[in-house]
């Protein structure tokens, strides 16, 4: 039954796209985020679903959509540059077969991030993209939250719709994304026009935010806890009653800790004492190896270059007997361990040039969103209230990603590249409509002045 419903839903999207080709763009977002072909066990699992909607979205825009307001931005140029550099590094990769496998999905994510802003010509389209991204991710998040409440969590043990550990179905990645979309959920609840703000929207939004907060607990991913803490600090920065909120947060944490699984609190404790945790020690060893590797290979080793690492590191275990505690040091050896950091992933795979391009792409996004926030925050017009909050929400989501990516290799995560595409689209759209809006305001001002003079 699930398979038939998913198939019928996607077929409906294909049919409606003939009338409104932008729906194919939304359909691709849904397919790429939720991966219904992975959930399905029937027709969809045997079809190249992602490729079908990827092709349809491009074809619909080229052949049927209006392109008069499409603009190419500086950050899209950066993504093109990154795409070309990744293509070159794949050709010269240390492990060509494995590099080609990763390139097979990375190029598609980068190309779609370049393409998406060209389709975002109106506020409605920008909102629709954000809404589909949030709802598609929330399907996975709500599923995980329900299982967490039912006691089905655990590191590497929480299963979402399917027994799959790739994309958003991987625990650390979904933990980071779940916290990153909280600002977007709040923006949709306050300023959404597709689902206008009312008690039903806010009820769903609050429940979804609660589900997002449960994901780091269910997955027991330390990344999620770091992201949640960063988000709390960022919101306190602009809160009016920050000391009251801090007190409520501290009280909530104190009440929640006794109900948390012992395995969760034990795993979170390794954030402070990383030497006792093999995975944390391995991570530090991989980062050290990467720095040495880039010293010899400044242009990187291509995708999956970590397969060439060979590690030797020490772990410290505390053995307690009565009142005596003995620290035991053990030497460990390992190899072919992943980078576990987007920054070291870019450095090891794409070298110094690739890392600089990627960092420029990220930092320029933060700067652009801050410019939009300052430009629109004091406007009071009837259709001038949503721009600044959206810029802030996108900025916060990106900051959460940048902190989360310190500990997870998600430099080319498609969901985040879609988020960058939305930022580019918003920057282009507001840059295009702002002069027109200013012109309308100037036209109205003389009319008001003239009316006042006649009255006098």
């Amino acid at each position: 039954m699930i398979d038939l419903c998913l198939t019928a839903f996607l077929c409906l999207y294909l049919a409606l796209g003939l009338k409104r080709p932008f729906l194919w763009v939304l359909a691709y977002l849904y397919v790429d985020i939720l991966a219904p072909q992975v959930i399905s066990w029937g027709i969809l699992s045997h079809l190249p679903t992602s490729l079908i909607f990827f092709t349809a979205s491009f074809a619909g825009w080229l052949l049927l959509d209006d392109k008069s307001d499409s603009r190419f931005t500086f950050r899209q140029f950066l993504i093109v540059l990154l795409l070309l550099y990744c293509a070159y590094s794949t050709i010269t990769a240390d492990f060509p077969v494995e590099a080609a496998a990763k390139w097979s999905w990375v190029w598609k994510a980068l190309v779609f991030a370049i393409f998406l802003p060209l389709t975002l010509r109106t506020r409605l389209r920008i909102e629709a993209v954000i809404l589909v991204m949030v709802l598609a991710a929330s399907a996975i998040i709500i599923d995980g939250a329900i299982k967490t409440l039912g006691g089905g969590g655990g590191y590497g043990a929480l299963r979402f719709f399917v027994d799959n550990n790739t994309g958003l179905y991987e625990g650390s990645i979904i933990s980071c994304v779940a916290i990153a979309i909280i600002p977007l959920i709040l923006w949709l609840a306050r300023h959404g026009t597709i689902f206008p703000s009312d008690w039903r929207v806010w009820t769903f939004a609050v429940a979804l935010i609660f589900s997002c907060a449960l994901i780091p607990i269910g997955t027991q991913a330390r990344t999620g806890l770091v992201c949640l803490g960063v988000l709390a600090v960022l919101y306190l920065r602009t809160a009016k009653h920050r000391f009251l909120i801090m007190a409520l947060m501290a009280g909530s944490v104190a009440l929640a800790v006794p109900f948390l699984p012992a395995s969760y609190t034990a795993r979170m404790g390794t954030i402070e004492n990383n030497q006792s945790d093999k995975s944390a020690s391995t991570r530090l060893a991989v980062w050290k190896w990467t720095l040495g590797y880039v010293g010899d290979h400044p242009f990187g080793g291509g995708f999956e270059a970590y397969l060439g690492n060979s590690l030797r590191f020490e772990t410290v275990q505390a053995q307690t007997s009565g009142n005596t505690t003995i620290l035991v040091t053990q030497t460990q050896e390992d190899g072919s361990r992943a980078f576990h950091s987007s920054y070291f992933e870019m450095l090891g795979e794409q070298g110094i040039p690739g890392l600089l391009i990627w960092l420029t792409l990220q930092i320029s996004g933060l700067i652009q969103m801050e410019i939009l926030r300052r430009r629109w925050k004091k406007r009071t017009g009837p259709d001038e209230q949503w721009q600044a909050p959206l810029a802030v929400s996108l900025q916060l989501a990106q900051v959460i990603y940048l902190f989360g990516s310190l500990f997870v290799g998600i430099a080319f995560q498609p969901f985040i590249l879609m988020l960058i595409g939305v930022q580019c689209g918003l920057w282009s759209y507001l840059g295009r409509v702002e002069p027109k809006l200013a012109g309308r305001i100037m036209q109205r001002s003389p009319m008001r002045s003239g009316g006042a003079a006649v009255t006098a």
Side-chain angles (χ1 to χ4, degrees), residues 368-385:
Q368 286 184 350
M369 294 305 101
E370 181 63 20
I371 291 173
L372 292 180
R373 183 190 73 83
R374 295 187 179 189
R375 187 177 295 169
W376 292 86
K377 68 177 180 178
K378 294 183 179 180
R379 305 200 182 190
T380 57
D383 194 34
E384 298 177 338
Q385 304 294 309

Side-chain angles (χ1 to χ4, degrees), residues 3 48 103 114 122 137 139 177 193 207 216 219 229 240 245 254 314 323 334 347 351 355 379 403 419 423 445-446 456:
D3 186 67
W103 168 254
I114 297 166
T122 64
V177 169
T193 57
T219 60
K240 294 181 179 179
I245 295 174
E314 293 182 345
N323 296 326
D334 209 337
L347 186 61
L355 177 63
R379 305 200 182 190
F403 272 93
L419 194 69
Q423 289 180 333
S445 297

Side-chain angles (χ1 to χ4, degrees), residues 76-141:
Q76 286 170 278
F77 168 75
L78 287 176
I79 302 175
V80 171
L81 195 61
L82 185 59
L83 175 68
L84 295 175
Y85 188 84
C86 288
Y88 167 76
S89 71
T90 302
I91 296 172
T92 60
D94 290 352
F95 299 91
V97 176
E98 292 80 0
K102 184 172 179 178
W103 168 254
S104 67
W105 61 266
V106 167
W107 76 265
K108 187 169 62 173
L110 290 171
V111 168
F112 192 79
I114 297 166
F115 162 73
L116 181 60
L118 300 176
T119 68
L120 303 181
R121 300 184 293 102
T122 64
R123 172 191 173 173
L124 180 61
R125 289 192 173 195
I126 294 172
E127 181 184 339
V129 166
I130 296 172
L131 181 64
V132 169
M133 288 176 64
V134 167
L135 291 180
S138 70
I140 304 173
I141 291 167

